[in-house]
Amino acid sequence: LFGALKYPVPFSQANNCDLVPALMEGTTTVHLINREISKPPKCYLDTEQDVVDWLLQPLKDQERSDFISLGEKLGKHAEALHKGFHCSIMDLADDISFGIHDMEDSIALRLISEQDFRLFVSEESCSAHLDFLKGSYGAEFGNDVYEAYVRVLFDNNKSRKHAISRMVAHLIRSCRIETIERFETPMVRYRAGMEEKARKFLKALKEAVYKVVIRSPAVQHLEFKGQQMVVAVFEALRSEPRALLPVDTLALYDTSADPVRVVCDHVAGMTDTFLLKTYERLFSPRMGSIFDKL
């Protein structure tokens, strides 16, 4: 459980009260959420405080105080400064796997061009990986390792798979266990980290995918639509819970001290397919049947 506590700060402390979720101003025919100010802080909910207190019991008083400290950012929500050892391992593994395989998928689907790759993942930014390739597979890459590396990535699926596998191996071998001297308890004293040059390489890969693919209109249209669907379904279910909530969820709603949270959890637990189906049943005249299983 301690490993699952990625952000050891409560909503009430992390939340910037100036950032109140709201609709966009200036629209006349549609109601759109203001996506920038509606982003939630990265935290746990105050309703889980008793569980978090139990998790942090093994820490000494000063350690506990230091571990839950926050970093302030002007105009942003506050962020946790620390994470537990187990969480840091999972976080790093997540960074490596998504950072590399998102790039692999983007290249395979031709969402990132060779020109894009060279722009964001320069020879200098991936110098650590080039050194790794030269040291381990020097005969394959010749004198210009960067050119050979890019060529292999954009050649064919088979050669790309080999290149991706080597990128994963390099980054895993670049991981280190760091020590946070201010802590004594092992689960907060140690932290999974990565050598700086390797982290710079991973950061370049992630930034390329983010700026070229994730922030592209093709993806942002879908993200925008998904957010609108979530809000619409939540507000519809909340407006008439007895008419619209499934029987099992309504039973929880009726016995809960915080019934709105039950509606929120119900929507948050939906898969993409189930959300789409629910949205279409509620808002699309031609979709839905009385025989659909809710």
Side-chain angles (χ1 to χ4, degrees):
L1 286 176
F2 193 87
L5 183 65
K6 185 172 183 179
Y7 307 109
V9 291
F11 177 88
S12 57
Q13 293 182 26
N15 183 52
N16 183 338
C17 296
D18 294 332
L19 300 178
V20 181
L23 297 176
M24 290 284 291
E25 297 180 358
T27 58
T28 55
T29 59
V30 293
H31 298 296
L32 308 175
I33 59 173
N34 185 324
R35 297 199 289 167
E36 187 59 33
I37 67 172
S38 297
K39 292 179 180 178
K42 296 178 178 180
C43 59
Y44 62 83
L45 295 179
D46 290 70
T47 49
E48 273 71 57
Q49 188 64 58
D50 57 336
V51 178
V52 176
D53 288 342
W54 176 76
L55 287 174
L56 299 183
Q57 277 182 2
L59 303 185
K60 297 178 180 180
D61 290 345
Q62 187 58 51
E63 281 186 321
R64 189 181 305 114
S65 177
D66 289 343
F67 184 68
I68 63 176
S69 57
L70 287 161
E72 302 289 340
K73 287 188 176 181
L74 184 64
K76 303 285 186 179
H77 295 299
E79 295 184 356
L81 294 177
H82 300 288
K83 64 185 70 171
F85 183 38
H86 304 79
C87 179
S88 71
I89 294 173
M90 292 188 289
D91 209 24
L92 194 55
D94 187 69
D95 260 3
I96 293 172
S97 58
F98 278 100
I100 292 181
H101 292 294
D102 281 353
M103 174 59 75
E104 178 186 15
D105 292 342
S106 298
I107 293 175
L109 295 172
R110 299 182 180 179
L111 299 175
I112 284 183
S113 67
E114 183 175 330
Q115 183 178 2
D116 293 327
F117 186 87
R118 291 177 181 274
L119 177 64
F120 289 99
V121 190
S122 64
E123 183 172 359
E124 191 274 332
S125 67
C126 61
S127 61
H129 186 56
L130 299 180
D131 290 341
F132 167 77
L133 293 176
K134 187 173 183 179
S136 302
Y137 312 98
E140 295 181 30
F141 290 91
N143 294 327
D144 197 336
V145 183
Y146 181 71
E147 287 299 323
Y149 166 60
V150 174
R151 184 178 66 250
V152 168
L153 274 179
F154 286 86
D155 187 9
N156 57 62
N157 285 336
K158 185 177 180 180
S159 64
R160 187 181 307 116
K161 287 291 182 184
H162 282 300
I164 293 298
S165 178
R166 290 168 177 176
M167 290 161 69
V168 172
H170 164 231
L171 291 181
I172 290 177
R173 294 178 188 181
S174 300
C175 294
R176 297 290 182 267
I177 296 177
E178 302 168 350
T179 303
I180 313 299
E181 297 294 345
R182 66 196 300 178
F183 299 122
E184 294 182 18
T185 307
M187 62 185 185
V188 293
R189 180 176 173 82
Y190 301 110
R191 195 84 42 91
M194 183 182 290
E195 294 175 357
E196 187 56 37
K197 290 181 69 176
R199 185 172 288 281
K200 184 178 180 180
F201 172 51
L202 179 57
K203 181 180 179 181
L205 295 174
K206 292 171 64 177
E207 184 177 1
V209 172
Y210 179 77
K211 290 186 175 180
V212 178
V213 181
I214 296 176
R215 295 302 302 173
S216 69
V219 173
Q220 286 301 303
H221 284 190
L222 300 179
E223 182 175 313
F224 176 85
K225 179 170 65 175
Q227 290 172 338
Q228 299 298 131
M229 289 169 59
V230 169
V231 173
V233 168
F234 171 77
E235 292 193 341
L237 297 179
R238 183 184 178 186
S239 68
E240 293 190 57
R242 300 197 177 284
L244 302 178
L245 282 178
V247 175
D248 292 346
T249 307
L250 181 60
L252 294 173
Y253 181 92
D254 285 336
T255 58
S256 174
D258 187 4
V260 177
R261 173 72 184 274
V262 173
V263 180
C264 178
D265 287 348
H266 177 67
V267 177
M270 292 181 174
T271 62
D272 290 353
T273 302
F274 185 45
L275 173 68
L276 179 60
K277 183 178 179 180
T278 304
Y279 180 87
E280 290 178 338
R281 280 182 60 83
L282 290 171
F283 298 104
S284 178
R286 294 180 178 273
M287 301 300 293
S289 165
I290 192 174
F291 299 106
D292 288 343
K293 185 177 180 180
L294 299 182

